[in-house]
């Protein structure tokens, strides 16, 4: 049985006071919910603040990216060891914004996945197609390519600790949500890709949907058999919206 995970990706948003208030509201609301996992992934500058604010709860802490190197002369970068030191249990890797704006590649996502696992941090590996790729009928080949790179690099056995997020790029921050049918089709496709390598791993792996998930569409998406949670952007920045999604789960 896969436990639903609702993870908030704050992206480049938040200041300390806002983080303390938002986390306190989320922790309060979350304490009334049972049977789901919740994670908050703030920017690096707020990891400590959020860690402290969720300390007495079951909420998990995650980061939004990391460098693939250990400590050393890598100005501006943050290592897996540093994230671990801040209390991170999760790290988002290969988000489409990292891929399109900052040159993240399948190769670097694969390398980072390996480093995260080695450091005991569970990666949330993001995959997804652009609107052009969908319109060009390349959805499956794009997503399969992104995923196979990681499977080939770290091995299917490591996927016991990997979480996958399917985030169609055209649905991110646009208000356009994939229909439950579109999302379920891709989640089933991803699970089948994993099952081609190992059936048991495939059925245990959590697959999150991301892209304009909100309280009012969450129940339909999360009701799909292969959707095991959500990676939430905009709606994770207001307690009521985020908790609405958690309740729907
Ligand atoms: P939105 O929920 O704002 O569309 O963002 C989704 C996302 O990119 C989560 O990683």
């Amino acid at each position: 049985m896969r436990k639903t995970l609702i993870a908030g990706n704050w992206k480049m948003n938040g200041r300390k006071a806002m983080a303390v208030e938002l986390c306190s509201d989320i922790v309060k609301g979350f304490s009334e919910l049972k049977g789901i996992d919740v994670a908050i992934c703030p920017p690096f500058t707020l990891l400590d603040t959020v860690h402290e604010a969720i300390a007495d709860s079951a909420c998990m802490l995650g980061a939004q990216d990391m460098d693939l190197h250990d400590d050393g002369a890598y100005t501006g970068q943050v290592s897996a060891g540093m994230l671990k030191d801040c209390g991170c249990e999760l790290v988002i890797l290969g988000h489409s914004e990292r891929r399109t704006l900052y040159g993240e590649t399948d190769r670097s996502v694969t390398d980072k996945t390996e480093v995260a696992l080695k450091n005991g941090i569970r990666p949330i590996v993001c995959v997804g197609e652009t609107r052009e790729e969908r319109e060009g009928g390349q959805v499956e080949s794009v997503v399969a390519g992104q995923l196979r790179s990681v499977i080939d690099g770290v091995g299917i056995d490591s996927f016991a600790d990997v979480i996958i997020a399917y985030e169609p790029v055209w649905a991110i921050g646009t208000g356009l949500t994939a229909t439950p049918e579109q999302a379920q089709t891709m989640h089933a496709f991803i699970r089948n890709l994993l099952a081609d390598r190992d059936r048991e791993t495939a059925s245990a792996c959590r697959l999150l949907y991301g892209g304009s998930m909100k309280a009012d569409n969450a129940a339909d998406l999360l009701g799909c058999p292969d959707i095991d949670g959500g990676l939430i952007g905009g709606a994770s920045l207001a307690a009521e919206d985020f908790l609405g999604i958690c309740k729907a789960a």
Side-chain angles (χ1 to χ4, degrees), residues 9 11 95 97 167 171-174 210-213 231-235:
N9 174 9
K11 308 193 178 183
H95 191 280
E97 285 149 20
E167 298 206 307
I172 295 176
T174 58
S212 300
M213 193 188 270
L231 186 54
I232 320 298

Side-chain angles (χ1 to χ4, degrees), residues 88 96 134 177-178:
C88 287
S96 70
R134 177 164 280 268
T177 316

Side-chain angles (χ1 to χ4, degrees), residues 21 32 35-36 50 76 86-88 123 135 150 157 182 185 191 203 208-209 231:
E21 194 182 330
E32 293 156 18
I36 63 164
V50 170
C86 286
C88 287
E135 287 170 356
V150 184
D157 291 347
Q182 285 173 322
T185 299
R191 202 174 301 286
S203 74
L208 314 183
Y209 168 82
L231 186 54

Side-chain angles (χ1 to χ4, degrees), residues 129-138 170:
E129 81 288 353
T130 62
R131 189 215 301 252
E132 293 72 33
E133 288 162 344
R134 177 164 280 268
E135 287 170 356
Q138 297 163 275
W170 48 272

